[in-house]
């Protein structure tokens, strides 16, 4: 198929996914307006901080009281939709809490759309093979990716984390490791999706990342302490572990997590060994990513190493929901650039990567899995993606005349 025809086919396909997403949003627009979305967590937390109730941020009763004030018509919410993020993030939502909930939701989604618009302009100078793709195609790819649609529908913060990862990527490409560490530290509102990645960067020899990461992380810890107090800081780990242990009364569903934990929760349903097996396999995946990340490869393989670290982080994260897969948009862009560059990917890694990306971009399949509480099956696609990346890094070492360890 000629490149022009393939590009047109992709454009039409993505447009079809966007139409499906628009129809879904139209059907639930009233529920979103009433406060059924996850944005209620952040709006409520911002409201509590603005009202001087930061010390009660991890008090379920206080959270529920505030949430009922702006979403009294949410019939299914019999208790608080728990705010389980570090306290500093609540500060970002204080300005949004100054306007009515529906307006705040719209403004937050506009901010997320602005970040989606900015990402192509941020990345394109460093992705030479992608520069001939038009801006509308970039936007269709973003809006046609189901996890990003869910992030917008729920008013989640996954797109913000994607944007921070994009900033970190650009800084690393420019050898500005300290700045990259600072941007990654700002993403600690989802520590499980940042800390493994930072550790993998360190194992790749990028130790200067810590010079930016640690000071910013320390500053955010002080901000959190100022909001909830030192007693609240001490309570936070216990609060999060309690939510995970009780599955937040049904709000946390492992079978809906498209990561290693979710896959095992479905395969070993009811088994008490799920946690232990998850830890062992997570260590294995992490070691594989670290090993491949230290491979002696051409300089232009940085993109592949970055993708490997991001995908491994997603897989080993203990808590991950469908909207968190929004982060994959960055590896998708980097891999597309690699497949069209001078060092095109070999056949079998390319097949694995294309199969994984195609599966993850098929919204009807994800919708069916979501309706049946089985989004964890998408974890297999993420593992397929990692296998393709890992399979490509090693052969590049052979081309350079370096034996595989």
């Amino acid at each position: 198929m000629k490149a022009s025809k393939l590009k047109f086919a992709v454009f039409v396909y993505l447009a079809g996914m966007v139409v499906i997403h628009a129809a879904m949003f139209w059907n639930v627009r009233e529920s979103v307006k009433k406060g059924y979305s996850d944005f209620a967590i952040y709006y409520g937390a911002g409201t509590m901080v603005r009202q001087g109730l930061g010390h009660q941020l991890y008090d379920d009763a206080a959270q529920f009281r505030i949430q009922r004030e702006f979403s009294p018509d949410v019939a299914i919410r019999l208790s608080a939709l728990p705010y389980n993020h570090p306290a500093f993030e609540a500060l970002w939502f204080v300005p949004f809490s100054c306007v009515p909930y529906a307006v705040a939701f719209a403004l937050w989604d506009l901010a997320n759309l602005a970040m989606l618009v900015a990402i192509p302009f941020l990345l394109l100078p460093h992705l030479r093979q992608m520069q001939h793709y038009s801006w509308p195609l970039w936007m269709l790819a973003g809006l046609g990716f189901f996890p990003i649609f869910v992030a917008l529908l729920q008013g989640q913060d996954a797109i913000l984390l994607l944007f921070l990862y994009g900033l970190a990527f650009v800084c690393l490409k420019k050898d500005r490791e300290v700045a990259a560490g600072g941007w990654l530290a700002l993403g600690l509102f989802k520590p499980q999706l940042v800390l493994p990645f930072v550790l993998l960067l360190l194992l790749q020899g990028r130790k200067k990342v810590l010079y930016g990461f640690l000071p910013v992380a320390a500053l955010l810890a002080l901000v959190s302490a100022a909001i909830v107090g030192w007693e609240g800081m001490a309570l936070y780990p216990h609060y999060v572990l309690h939510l995970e242990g009780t599955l937040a009364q049904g709000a946390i569903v492992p079978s809906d997590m498209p990561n290693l934990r979710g896959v095992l929760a479905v395969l070993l349903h009811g088994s008490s060994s799920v946690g232990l097996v998850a830890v062992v396999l997570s260590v294995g995946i992490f070691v594989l990513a670290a090993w491949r990340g230290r491979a002696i490869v051409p300089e232009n393989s940085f993109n592949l190493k970055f993708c490997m670290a991001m995908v491994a982080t997603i897989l080993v994260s203990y808590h991950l929901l469908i909207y968190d897969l929004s982060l994959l948009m960055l590896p998708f862009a980097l891999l597309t650039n690699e497949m069209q560059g001078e060092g095109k990917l070999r056949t079998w890694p390319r097949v694995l990567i294309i199969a994984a990306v195609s599966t993850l971009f098929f919204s009807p399949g994800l919708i069916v899995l979501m309706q049946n509480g089985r989004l964890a099956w998408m974890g297999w696609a993420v593992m397929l993606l990692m296998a393709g990346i890992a399979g490509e890094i090693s052969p590049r070492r052979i081309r350079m005349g370096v034996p595989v360890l």
Side-chain angles (χ1 to χ4, degrees):
M1 183 182 294
K2 293 183 178 180
S4 59
K5 291 184 178 179
L6 177 60
K7 191 182 296 184
F8 179 74
V10 171
F11 189 93
V12 171
Y13 179 83
L14 292 174
M17 297 302 104
V18 172
V19 169
I20 292 174
H21 299 165
M24 288 185 64
F25 173 76
W26 184 257
N27 289 334
V28 299
R29 66 189 187 282
E30 289 301 322
S31 295
V32 171
K33 186 177 180 181
K34 290 178 180 179
Y36 279 80
S37 296
D38 289 350
F39 183 68
I41 301 171
Y42 308 112
Y43 187 85
T47 300
M48 292 180 71
V49 173
R50 180 172 55 82
Q51 294 181 356
L53 302 174
H55 61 287
Q56 299 183 46
L57 196 56
Y58 301 121
D59 183 322
D60 287 338
Q63 290 186 51
F64 186 52
R65 185 179 69 253
I66 294 295
Q67 289 176 12
R68 294 300 291 175
E69 289 178 0
F70 61 81
S71 56
D73 298 325
V74 181
I76 64 171
R77 194 170 297 155
L78 302 179
S79 60
L81 194 59
Y83 177 80
N84 59 351
H85 289 203
F88 71 83
E89 189 184 17
L91 194 64
W92 300 350
F93 290 92
V94 168
F96 293 93
S97 72
C98 296
V99 296
Y101 176 84
V103 175
F105 182 94
L107 290 174
W108 176 239
D109 263 12
L110 284 174
N112 279 276
L113 288 171
M115 286 185 279
L116 283 178
V117 169
I119 287 172
F121 296 101
L122 188 68
L123 299 180
L124 280 178
H126 307 281
L127 302 178
R128 186 174 60 179
Q129 304 300 326
M130 296 287 286
Q131 291 176 0
H132 62 280
Y133 285 97
S134 64
W135 178 82
L137 187 59
W138 277 86
M139 287 307 299
L140 275 179
L143 297 176
F145 189 40
F146 188 69
I148 283 185
F149 163 69
V150 176
L152 291 169
L153 184 67
Q154 292 289 350
Q156 268 288 343
D157 54 5
I159 295 173
L160 172 58
L161 186 56
L162 169 63
F163 184 68
L164 293 172
Y165 260 106
L167 291 170
F169 169 78
V170 170
C171 289
L172 290 171
K173 291 288 281 189
K174 295 180 177 180
D175 291 324
R176 296 171 54 193
E177 296 180 8
V178 176
W183 290 122
L184 289 170
L186 288 176
L188 283 172
F189 51 84
K190 288 181 181 286
Q192 77 280 10
L193 290 172
V194 172
L195 293 176
F197 182 82
V198 172
L199 183 54
L200 286 171
L201 287 182
L202 295 177
L203 293 175
Q204 290 178 18
R206 295 182 174 272
K207 297 180 181 179
K208 291 182 180 179
V209 166
L210 281 182
Y211 300 158
F213 183 84
L214 291 178
V216 175
L219 178 61
L220 295 177
L222 291 174
V223 171
S224 295
I227 294 173
V228 299
W230 292 110
E231 184 178 345
M233 290 286 286
L235 172 67
Y236 177 64
H238 173 77
Y239 181 73
V240 172
L241 291 174
H242 173 72
L243 289 176
E244 291 291 341
T246 61
L247 300 181
Q249 298 181 358
I252 298 175
V253 184
S255 62
D256 257 346
M257 295 185 181
N259 59 358
L260 186 60
R261 178 191 180 188
V263 169
L264 292 173
V266 173
L267 288 179
L268 305 176
H269 180 66
S271 173
S272 59
S273 62
V274 171
L276 177 61
V277 176
V279 170
V280 172
L281 292 182
S282 293
V283 170
I285 289 173
F286 190 86
V287 169
L288 173 63
W291 174 36
R292 286 290 189 257
R294 293 184 62 85
I296 303 173
V297 293
E299 187 64 26
N300 61 4
S301 293
F302 167 75
N303 290 2
L304 287 174
K305 290 184 177 183
F306 191 94
C307 292
M308 168 69 77
M310 281 197 72
V311 175
T313 296
I314 287 171
L315 280 174
V316 305
S317 63
Y318 190 72
H319 184 98
L320 181 111
L321 295 173
I322 185 63
Y323 43 76
D324 293 315
L325 290 187
S326 299
L327 294 179
L328 289 176
M329 284 302 297
L330 182 50
F332 290 167
L334 303 186
L335 291 169
T336 301
N337 184 74
E338 288 291 311
M339 287 191 283
Q340 298 187 22
E342 295 178 359
K344 294 182 178 179
L345 304 188
R346 295 190 313 156
T347 301
W348 75 264
R350 175 189 286 260
V351 169
L352 293 183
I353 291 169
I354 291 176
V357 174
S358 300
T359 301
L360 290 163
F361 259 98
F362 186 59
S363 295
L366 271 70
I367 293 169
V368 170
L369 290 175
M370 182 174 67
Q371 292 174 339
N372 289 277
R374 286 295 183 269
L375 278 169
W377 287 112
M378 283 297 104
W380 289 105
V382 180
M383 285 191 278
L384 200 65
L385 182 64
M386 182 168 172
I389 300 169
E392 177 56 22
I393 291 179
S394 180
R396 290 194 172 208
R397 301 177 67 213
I398 296 174
R399 293 176 207 158
M400 292 293 291
V402 181
V404 178
L405 295 176

